Amino acid sequence: MRIDVLTLFPEMFDGVFSSSILGKARDKGIVSLNTVNFRDYANNKHNTVDDYPYGGGGGMVLKPEPIFAAVEALPVHEQPGEEQIKPRVILMCPQGTPFTQKKAEELSSEQHLVFICGHYEGYDERIRQYLVTDELSIGDYVLTGGELPAMVVIDSVVRLLPGVLGNEMSAVTDSFSTGLLEYPHYTRPAKFREWEVPEMLMSGHHENVRKWRRKESLFRTLERRSDLLVDRELSKEEKAWVAEWHARQ
């Protein structure tokens, strides 16, 4: 996978792209992570990338020319004997579709992603209409720019690529991957102060451990994110566990 990030502050990505899981994925050649300062594509002597909005109002608006030019100058991702692969061009924006694990899984199947990180008051609407394929938001709040949201999305997507995680099951059992929050985890020592690890996890009975984890995932979701269960089709076993949970309340 190739990932390009258009930003006015490429230095913000230096540590993120060279550390932890992203750094290892990059070193293994699983993903190519690149930053582009779209100020380099400004078409005026002062290298300005923003201007006052038509119609008046506060703030500055990012101009279309440098962003279009930066995207169009990116190397074309292609495979022998196949047509050029068009990238998914993603605009990080508070107005975008809320980012979810399902969207991360969808994007992880792509071969080329381009992220546009804005600043100032907003984007010229023609960027939205004629350049981007997706608009994403990581929450109902406003940040200084799109760099931090882009880092969040990129981290979430890259960890799903084959060979990135040491244990491939880690991504499968993460919170939201199954539609539920993840079950509790424990490690050594078996007893810490007066708190002990549940006996079930030390039983060695894999099927019982699986059921315990599934049940605890459901209970944790009921307690913390019951909204995730509104449209979920529960199995007979899960319905019994829900009834058990309500009986305890």
Side-chain angles (χ1 to χ4, degrees):
M1 174 183 280
R2 178 184 176 91
I3 296 178
D4 294 292
V5 182
L6 274 62
T7 172
L8 295 174
F9 303 96
E11 66 276 6
M12 290 180 66
F13 292 85
D14 292 344
V16 175
F17 281 177
S18 61
S19 304
S20 189
I21 295 297
L22 291 181
K24 291 178 181 177
R26 191 186 213 178
D27 292 342
K28 290 179 180 179
I30 297 173
V31 62
S32 170
L33 300 167
N34 315 284
T35 55
V36 177
N37 189 334
F38 59 87
R39 190 179 298 280
D40 295 338
Y41 293 86
N43 60 353
N44 56 81
K45 64 180 181 180
H46 298 295
N47 290 330
T48 56
V49 295
D50 61 314
D51 210 332
Y52 295 103
Y54 278 116
M60 304 291 281
V61 176
L62 284 173
K63 296 163 60 65
E65 303 100 312
I67 293 180
F68 270 82
V71 171
E72 291 166 355
L74 292 173
V76 176
H77 197 88
E78 58 185 0
Q79 294 180 339
E82 297 186 8
E83 295 182 359
Q84 294 180 351
I85 298 172
K86 292 185 177 180
R88 291 279 285 272
V89 182
I90 302 165
L91 193 70
M92 303 309 304
C93 174
Q95 300 178 26
T97 302
F99 182 65
T100 62
Q101 185 66 22
K102 184 176 180 180
K103 176 61 73 170
E105 292 167 0
E106 175 191 329
L107 294 177
S108 70
S109 67
E110 298 289 337
Q111 296 187 44
H112 190 187
L113 301 177
V114 177
F115 291 83
I116 301 176
C117 305
H119 267 67
Y120 313 117
E121 183 65 21
Y123 306 93
D124 184 289
E125 188 66 17
R126 290 164 290 189
I127 296 171
R128 299 179 192 275
Q129 290 180 306
Y130 305 113
L131 183 62
V132 307
T133 59
D134 303 80
E135 292 185 50
L136 293 180
S137 167
I138 64 166
D140 295 337
Y141 46 87
V142 179
L143 297 172
T144 304
E147 283 77 15
L148 294 176
M151 293 176 195
V152 169
V153 175
I154 291 169
D155 183 275
S156 182
V157 170
V158 170
R159 66 191 306 278
L160 296 175
L161 300 178
V164 170
L165 297 181
N167 183 346
E168 296 298 331
M169 286 302 295
S170 295
V172 176
T173 58
D174 281 340
S175 292
F176 306 111
S177 294
T178 62
L180 301 174
L181 299 185
E182 195 172 7
Y183 50 80
H185 290 279
Y186 295 88
T187 188
R188 294 178 178 81
K191 183 175 182 179
F192 171 63
R193 296 179 182 175
E194 70 272 24
W195 308 303
E196 297 183 0
V197 174
E199 289 185 12
M200 178 63 69
L201 295 179
M202 299 184 290
S203 67
H205 194 297
H206 297 299
E207 179 59 19
N208 286 346
V209 170
R210 184 196 68 79
K211 285 188 176 181
W212 181 90
R213 286 174 169 171
R214 188 73 175 171
K215 184 177 181 180
E216 290 299 318
S217 286
L218 185 61
F219 283 2
R220 180 155 287 188
T221 306
L222 283 164
E223 292 168 357
R224 303 182 181 188
R225 289 294 305 275
S226 59
D227 58 295
L228 296 175
L229 300 173
V230 172
D231 297 321
R232 183 181 178 85
E233 188 72 30
L234 297 176
S235 66
K236 183 177 179 181
E237 185 178 51
E238 288 174 331
K239 289 179 180 177
W241 289 339
V242 170
E244 178 185 336
W245 183 83
H246 283 295
R248 294 182 183 180
Q249 305 309 303

